[in-house]
Amino acid sequence: MRMGFAFKEYQQQARRTQNPDLTPRERLEHALWGLSSEVGEVCSLHQKTHQGHALDASALRKEIGDVLWMIAELCDVYGWDMGWIAEDNIAKLRRRFPDGFSADKSLHRSEP
Ligand SMILES: [Mg+2]
C-alpha cells in the first residue's frame, strides 16, 4: 500500500532529527509531552479565531507537521512502523464503516 511506504519514508527522515542522547524513557517522555504541546499549538491557532484573528493556514500546516513528527518519535520508541499504524487504522475503519461513515454504525460498534 502506498500510504505505508510514505509514512515509512517520513518516519526515517524524521528520525534524523531526534536527540540520540536521550534514554528510551526520556524519548518516550519527549514524544508524549511534545505531542501534547504540538496539539495545543494546533488548538491555539483555532482559539485565536475567537479573538478576531484569521486562521493562519500556513502556521496550521506547520503545527500539524510537528504533530506528525512527535507521532513518528512515539512510534520509534516502541519500534513500530508508522505505515503499519496507518494501514491498521484504515483496516479498522473499513470494518467499522464498510460503506462510509454512518451515525448508526458509530453508535452501535462492537470494537472501541
Ligand atoms: Mg510547533
Side-chain angles (χ1 to χ4, degrees):
M1 181 182 262
R2 289 187 62 180
M3 179 178 59
F5 177 80
F7 276 114
K8 185 183 185 96
E9 177 70 20
Y10 174 82
Q11 190 173 7
Q12 289 170 345
Q13 293 292 323
R15 191 174 297 136
R16 188 181 64 79
T17 54
Q18 290 177 5
N19 182 350
D21 298 328
L22 299 181
T23 66
R25 178 69 189 184
E26 289 169 338
R27 287 177 70 212
L28 174 61
E29 291 171 352
H30 183 267
L32 292 174
W33 296 337
L35 183 57
S36 180
S37 296
E38 298 301 343
V39 168
E41 291 184 50
V42 168
C43 293
S44 177
L45 289 170
H46 289 83
Q47 177 259 330
K48 287 178 181 165
T49 66
H50 291 291
Q51 296 175 321
H53 299 253
L55 181 63
D56 185 339
S58 175
L60 178 58
R61 287 192 295 272
K62 289 175 183 170
E63 297 306 340
I64 291 171
D66 290 345
V67 169
L68 200 57
W69 191 97
M70 292 297 174
I71 291 171
E73 184 175 52
L74 181 59
C75 286
D76 276 348
V77 168
Y78 288 108
W80 295 337
D81 183 318
M82 284 178 72
W84 302 342
I85 302 287
E87 289 172 13
D88 286 351
N89 180 255
I90 292 299
K92 178 185 77 174
L93 294 172
R94 285 191 186 282
R95 285 192 305 275
R96 185 177 296 169
F97 303 111
D99 302 314
F101 176 77
S102 94
D104 184 60
K105 289 201 181 310
S106 180
L107 290 168
H108 303 103
R109 64 188 193 211
S110 58
E111 62 180 325

